[in-house]
C-alpha cells in the first residue's frame, strides 16, 4: 500500500475531524494530491486538491469554506481538516496522488490520479 488515509471516525454533526494521508513510498512528494469520498450507493466525489508545493488549492463547492487541504512536504503528509460536519458528509474518504505536479483544469476527475490510498470511514451522526 503506497497511500494510507487515516483519521476517520464517528463525530456529531457540527464537529470536526482531521484526516491524514501518508505516503510510504513517496509517490506524491512532487505531485498534486486530492481527496475524494464515496458514500454508500453514490459515486465517488471530488473534495479538494493541492498542488505539489502547496501553493494552489481547489475545492468542490460542497465543501468550500468547511474543509481545508494542506500538506507538509517535510514529512510527506497531506491533510484534510473538516469542520462543521454534516450527516451527509458520511462516507469513506480517500486520498490520491495526481499525475501532475500542478492543478490542471480537470483536477476534479478521478482519471487525473494515478495512485489511490485505502480509505478511512467518516460517520457523522445527527
Amino acid at each position: 500500500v503506497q497511500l494510507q488515509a487515516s483519521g476517520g471516525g464517528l463525530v456529531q454533526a457540527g464537529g470536526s475531524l482531521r484526516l491524514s494521508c501518508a505516503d510510504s513510498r513517496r509517490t506524491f512528494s512532487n505531485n498534486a494530491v486530492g481527496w475524494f469520498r464515496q458514500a454508500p450507493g453514490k459515486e465517488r466525489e471530488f473534495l479538494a486538491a493541492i498542488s505539489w508545493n502547496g501553493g494552489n488549492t481547489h475545492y468542490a463547492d460542497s465543501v468550500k469554506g468547511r474543509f481545508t487541504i494542506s500538506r507538509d512536504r517535510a514529512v510527506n503528509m497531506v491533510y484534510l481538516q473538516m469542520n462543521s460536519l454534516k450527516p451527509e458528509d458520511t462516507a469513506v474518504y480517500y486520498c490520491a496522488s495526481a499525475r501532475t505536479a500542478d492543478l490542471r483544469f480537470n483536477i476534479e476527475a478521478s482519471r487525473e490520479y494515478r495512485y489511490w490510498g485505502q480509505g478511512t470511514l467518516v460517520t457523522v451522526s445527527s
Side-chain angles (χ1 to χ4, degrees):
V1 175
Q2 296 169 314
L3 303 181
Q4 179 66 56
S6 62
L10 176 63
V11 63
Q12 289 188 329
S16 298
L17 282 175
R18 189 179 81 154
L19 305 184
S20 299
C21 180
D23 177 16
S24 62
R25 298 177 63 178
R26 303 193 70 81
T27 61
F28 65 46
S29 57
N30 295 312
N31 291 75
V33 175
W35 282 97
F36 292 74
R37 68 186 178 191
Q38 188 165 20
K42 295 188 176 181
E43 294 187 353
R44 185 162 52 194
E45 175 189 12
F46 168 83
L47 300 175
I50 188 167
S51 62
W52 72 280
N53 63 354
N56 290 310
T57 57
H58 176 67
Y59 296 92
D61 288 342
S62 60
V63 303
K64 196 174 295 182
R66 298 191 299 126
F67 291 9
T68 302
I69 189 171
S70 62
R71 70 188 302 165
D72 186 340
R73 298 187 75 231
V75 294
N76 220 31
M77 296 283 289
V78 174
Y79 307 99
L80 186 68
Q81 177 67 42
M82 306 187 297
N83 299 328
S84 302
L85 284 164
K86 307 173 183 179
E88 50 264 45
D89 292 318
T90 295
V92 177
Y93 285 67
Y94 300 90
C95 58
S97 175
R99 300 178 186 276
T100 59
D102 294 314
L103 304 186
R104 285 155 45 107
F105 72 96
N106 55 349
I107 197 64
E108 296 188 8
S110 297
R111 64 180 178 274
E112 287 299 300
Y113 296 84
R114 176 175 297 172
Y115 300 110
W116 292 79
Q118 293 181 330
T120 185
L121 177 62
V122 172
T123 303
V124 184
S125 63
S126 57

